[in-house]
Amino acid sequence: MTSANPWGYASITLSPERTVHATISLCTNLTTNQKPTNNTIPETWALDLTFTRSAEAQPSTPIQINLQQDTSPWKTLLQQTLSPPTPLLTIRFLFTSTPGYITRSDLIPLRFECLPGLLSAHTFLTPLQHVTPITSQSLTPSNLPQILSSSLGALVLSNDYSPTVLNKETNNRLGLPFLLPSPSTRKRIAWVQGREDIDCIERALNAAQALGISLVIIDEKGHWLQDPTSPWAHLREDFIEADVAPNEDFPQRIVDAVKGYPKPINGIVTISDVRLAGVAKACEILGLPTESPEAYKIAADKGRTRLLETVGAEESFVLRHKDDLEGVLAQNVELKFPMVVKPVIGWSSDCVTKVKNVDELRVAVKKASDRHADSPKPSTAVVVEPYVAGPEVDANFVMLKGDIVFADINDDFPSPADSANAGLRENFQETQNVLPSALPKHELEALQDQLRATLVRQGFKSGVFHCEARVRNSSVKYQDVGNGILDLVPANNQNSTDGATVPEVYLHEVNARPPGYLESVAVQLTHGVDYYALRMLLALGDAEEARFRALSHPFRNGPQFHLSVMIIQQTRRGIMRSADAAKEFLEKHPDVRENVVDYYTRKKGGDVLEGPDAASLWWIAFFSVVSRTSRRDLLERVAFIEKNFDYEFDPLDD
């Protein structure tokens, strides 16, 4: 990579009353191909315009640029960014000398999100656009305005940024085949069950637009995306009102909705666990791309999933109904407590209980069996399995034709039920997930290998998967590392990379869809990979394989920071009085706000807080906290929020 001295100076007239002044620097060879045989990374270069408050700082005659009649995106950007007085900042305009079709139009804002010193990022591209190459050698003072009008996009940076660091970050973040030689055509996807609000789907809707995909939402009457005058109506093409209850007739109703739409639909997507198999069946009937409906049925059933596993096969059992427990106990089956009891269907660790004896086992089995007995898709089956004390992980995989093309494994920190003294009341709700994992390399490899084998065994070839598992015989364990902070430390159990004690992956569950919204966003920010975009491309079949592979590339230099998705659980019963507890906390602690890249308050003013005995494990708020310094620094930031977060509420009588 090279960065030139100032290439020139410009006086840019925006209006009769407004002229701004800038030093122009040329930066070339910003992206490189890492392998001699790999020539798929587009060549990128940039122009940096560093703005000053007067022309006096310019040592030579500036290039005169008059934009009063110009309507180009870069003029609009200057007008929006350079409000008087002219701020001292730099705008980097990005170019490529490689021709091709853009993989997604918002690639620059997406990949540069959270860059240090970045004030804002902008794209000048449209979905599916063909990009005409421009070389840095073609730049002259006379054609500078035309060159700037042809840029891919721009980064607005504070003036304390480092040009050297920025050049390296450009290679890091744009080091993927973001231009393809062949065009994609606009496609249409039916998205079944549009989620509960904009806060848990907005990035997915925006991704569809950037990919050139029109979305048709299929959901119940009155859904918030149905209203054509809503603030978010532009994010979908249309809305089909339909009964989406996941019962026996669900697949046919989806088929009828798709056939009844006046325009062709090229694929169907859902991220609802209980609807995955039904949507796959509908795709099969319609001849649309899909994985096997039977594979989705297996993944959605924790009982069938458990019975397919080789690790722990003889330590667990599945009950069709709570009444079957006594028959098992009568056989004098050896039960190794503590054990874990859970319904065969469910989510967010709902109704998952650790038990220490037979009496607690009976209570937990009844609770789990009754949990979904009266749901639209009734189930009374229960899984009983050993409690594995090893570290737990969320393991997310992007798989294409049996190969893992991207994997993210993050540490799922201990839950209340992991305590040695935990009783029936304590739950397995997440406390925090930390990206990337601190497990040793050989255990991460074991997780990827063994969980890939699980996915193939269930019948999957391609997909975006969210798996939860623990590592038995791990060489690390959670321990207080000081000041009440938990983290992984050596376990001193003789487990080592020489294979003397082989780590076992004990699977908890497979979710055949991207992880929850909080974690999907966290992975996007940390690694640069958008699971929702990939899931939509998969729904369109082989025609989108090139885009799918291109957008599966993470940042070249690895995760851009340590990130914790920390959950504020319900601990008290009452009526929430604080209007927005997370927002109010960050306003009170602006130093914390600087290191929070995402947050959301679920329980807002007027909402009922059910406390730790809540039937559904809805948290109060979450924060995605980051540190570029170290994992320990991150955990100290999390500890501060845990200690100081508070809210006002009116207690409820028991």
Side-chain angles (χ1 to χ4, degrees):
M1 289 178 284
T2 61
S3 180
N5 291 321
W7 176 85
Y9 306 90
S11 291
I12 305 170
T13 303
L14 300 175
S15 69
E17 301 80 22
R18 186 86 196 284
T19 298
V20 295
H21 311 281
T23 300
I24 305 172
S25 299
L26 173 63
C27 304
T28 58
N29 302 322
L30 294 179
T31 51
T32 58
N33 287 286
Q34 294 178 322
K35 299 177 182 179
T37 57
N38 182 358
N39 59 358
T40 61
I41 309 301
E43 296 180 3
T44 307
W45 59 281
L47 285 174
D48 290 353
L49 274 63
T50 300
F51 291 88
T52 59
R53 294 226 167 104
S54 72
E56 295 177 3
Q58 299 180 352
S60 63
T61 304
I63 302 167
Q64 300 292 330
I65 302 176
N66 191 327
L67 294 181
Q68 294 184 73
Q69 305 301 319
D70 195 281
T71 58
S72 62
W74 80 281
K75 177 195 175 180
T76 303
L77 174 63
L78 294 186
Q79 289 177 319
Q80 293 173 346
T81 305
L82 303 176
S83 56
T86 301
L88 299 176
L89 52 75
T90 295
I91 301 180
R92 166 162 286 193
F93 292 89
L94 291 160
F95 306 86
T96 180
S97 54
T98 305
Y101 295 86
I102 192 68
T103 48
R104 59 182 291 172
S105 59
D106 63 350
L107 189 81
I108 289 173
L110 179 84
R111 298 283 286 198
F112 283 90
E113 191 168 3
C114 297
L115 174 73
L118 180 70
L119 302 178
S120 60
H122 306 265
T123 182
F124 301 150
L125 300 170
T126 57
L128 309 176
Q129 178 182 331
H130 180 265
V131 175
T132 302
I134 297 176
T135 64
S136 58
Q137 292 85 353
S138 65
L139 179 66
T140 66
S142 61
N143 70 7
L144 177 61
Q146 290 74 34
I147 294 288
L148 288 169
S149 295
S150 301
S151 63
L152 304 174
L155 309 174
V156 181
L157 303 137
S158 58
N159 256 9
D160 58 356
Y161 85 103
S162 164
T164 301
V165 171
L166 181 58
N167 291 345
K168 291 179 179 178
E169 283 295 336
T170 301
N171 182 47
N172 174 34
R173 294 166 187 265
L174 292 184
L176 75 163
F178 63 85
L179 295 175
L180 299 177
S182 301
S184 294
T185 58
R186 176 166 286 276
K187 304 288 199 322
R188 184 174 291 102
I189 282 178
W191 185 295
V192 178
Q193 207 245 359
R195 317 310 289 167
E196 57 263 34
D197 57 38
I198 189 64
D199 293 306
C200 59
I201 197 176
E202 185 172 13
R203 284 180 181 252
L205 301 180
N206 288 332
Q209 288 203 326
L211 292 167
I213 295 173
S214 300
L215 288 182
V216 178
I217 309 298
I218 301 178
D219 211 322
E220 305 281 348
K221 180 180 180 181
H223 188 272
W224 59 273
L225 276 168
Q226 183 173 16
D227 183 0
T229 65
S230 80
W232 306 289
H234 67 285
L235 295 174
R236 87 304 187 268
E237 178 184 87
D238 210 339
F239 184 95
I240 299 175
E241 183 182 313
D243 176 4
V244 296
N247 52 28
E248 186 177 349
D249 298 329
F250 170 67
Q252 188 58 49
R253 293 196 301 274
I254 299 304
V255 169
D256 295 342
V258 169
K259 285 185 174 180
Y261 194 67
K263 300 175 184 177
I265 288 177
N266 309 105
I268 311 177
V269 166
T270 188
I271 54 175
S272 166
D273 289 317
V274 295
R275 296 174 176 85
L276 288 167
V279 165
K281 184 62 178 177
C283 289
E284 195 173 67
I285 294 170
L286 292 164
L288 297 176
T290 185
E291 293 292 295
S292 160
E294 185 64 18
Y296 282 112
K297 287 181 181 179
I298 294 171
D301 187 318
K302 295 179 177 64
R304 295 182 68 183
T305 293
R306 168 52 48 213
L307 294 174
L308 274 179
E309 287 300 291
T310 55
V311 176
E314 298 179 357
E315 304 172 278
S316 56
F317 55 91
V318 179
L319 305 171
R320 292 176 299 175
H321 189 273
K322 59 189 176 185
D323 295 341
D324 295 341
L325 176 61
E326 295 306 320
V328 173
L329 296 177
Q331 298 173 22
N332 294 318
V333 174
E334 182 181 4
L335 302 176
K336 295 182 180 179
F337 293 101
M339 303 191 79
V340 173
V341 179
K342 57 189 177 184
V344 299
I345 61 173
W347 45 87
S348 301
S349 301
D350 178 48
C351 208
V352 181
T353 308
K354 185 170 77 172
V355 299
K356 300 187 292 293
N357 53 55
V358 171
D359 289 339
E360 290 185 350
L361 176 63
R362 287 189 172 101
V363 173
V365 165
K366 181 181 185 305
K367 178 183 176 183
S369 184
D370 291 344
R371 181 69 179 93
H372 301 287
D374 299 319
S375 69
K377 193 173 184 179
S379 173
T380 60
V382 176
V383 178
V384 181
E385 61 189 18
Y387 170 75
V388 177
E392 185 171 354
V393 298
D394 283 5
N396 304 309
F397 300 107
V398 177
M399 190 163 76
L400 185 65
K401 298 179 179 178
D403 294 328
I404 302 297
V405 295
F406 173 73
D408 153 64
I409 298 175
N410 59 79
D411 294 324
D412 190 346
F413 272 52
S415 301
D418 285 306
S419 168
N421 300 319
L424 290 174
R425 293 186 62 186
E426 279 70 35
N427 59 54
F428 283 98
Q429 185 178 37
E430 287 83 356
T431 54
Q432 66 170 323
N433 284 73
V434 174
L435 295 71
S437 173
L439 289 177
K441 180 181 178 182
H442 71 288
E443 295 185 15
L444 294 173
E445 292 172 347
L447 281 160
Q448 180 164 324
D449 291 345
Q450 294 185 42
L451 292 176
R452 177 198 168 276
T454 287
L455 297 173
V456 173
R457 192 159 50 239
Q458 291 189 345
F460 290 106
K461 297 177 181 177
S462 301
V464 181
F465 302 95
H466 172 66
C467 304
E468 299 179 13
R470 293 201 183 213
V471 181
R472 177 184 272 167
N473 301 329
S474 176
S475 60
V476 294
K477 65 179 181 179
Y478 282 101
Q479 182 175 296
D480 190 325
V481 294
N483 299 321
I485 295 174
L486 282 181
D487 201 5
L488 292 170
V489 299
N492 298 320
N493 64 353
Q494 307 305 311
N495 186 12
S496 64
T497 56
D498 63 8
T501 305
V502 179
E504 286 187 331
V505 175
Y506 198 97
L507 175 71
H508 285 330
E509 61 183 66
V510 171
N511 300 283
R513 40 81 179 160
Y517 193 72
L518 317 186
E519 192 168 318
S520 288
V521 173
V523 172
Q524 180 181 318
L525 297 176
T526 305
H527 296 281
V529 175
D530 182 352
Y531 287 141
Y532 292 113
L534 297 177
R535 183 61 190 86
M536 286 185 280
L537 291 174
L538 268 180
L540 298 173
D542 292 343
E544 292 294 353
E545 180 176 335
R547 274 210 291 178
F548 182 89
R549 289 188 181 276
L551 294 174
S552 296
H553 285 245
F555 299 136
R556 277 182 157 180
N557 298 339
Q560 66 169 317
F561 37 49
H562 298 275
L563 182 149
S564 168
V565 181
M566 60 168 298
I567 304 296
I568 305 295
Q569 297 190 19
Q570 296 188 51
T571 58
R572 298 174 286 188
R573 293 184 69 246
I575 304 297
M576 178 65 80
R577 192 189 308 162
S578 298
D580 189 327
K583 179 182 178 182
E584 292 166 13
F585 174 80
L586 294 176
E587 289 173 346
K588 184 178 179 181
H589 299 279
D591 53 329
V592 174
R593 182 68 183 94
E594 293 177 1
N595 298 292
V596 172
V597 294
D598 194 20
Y599 76 94
Y600 178 61
T601 304
R602 181 173 289 279
K603 293 292 186 179
K604 298 186 178 181
D607 289 344
V608 176
L609 305 177
E610 297 179 83
D613 295 326
S616 298
L617 298 181
W618 288 122
W619 33 266
I620 290 175
F622 88 90
F623 299 92
S624 284
V625 190
V626 303
S627 172
R628 299 179 192 275
T629 304
S630 67
R631 181 175 167 110
R632 177 58 186 264
D633 180 62
L634 170 68
L635 296 178
E636 289 175 353
R637 297 180 193 276
V638 170
F640 178 87
I641 297 176
E642 290 174 336
K643 180 180 179 180
N644 293 280
F645 183 86
D646 202 4
Y647 52 90
E648 296 182 354
F649 75 109
D650 296 317
L652 287 175
D653 295 331
D654 291 330

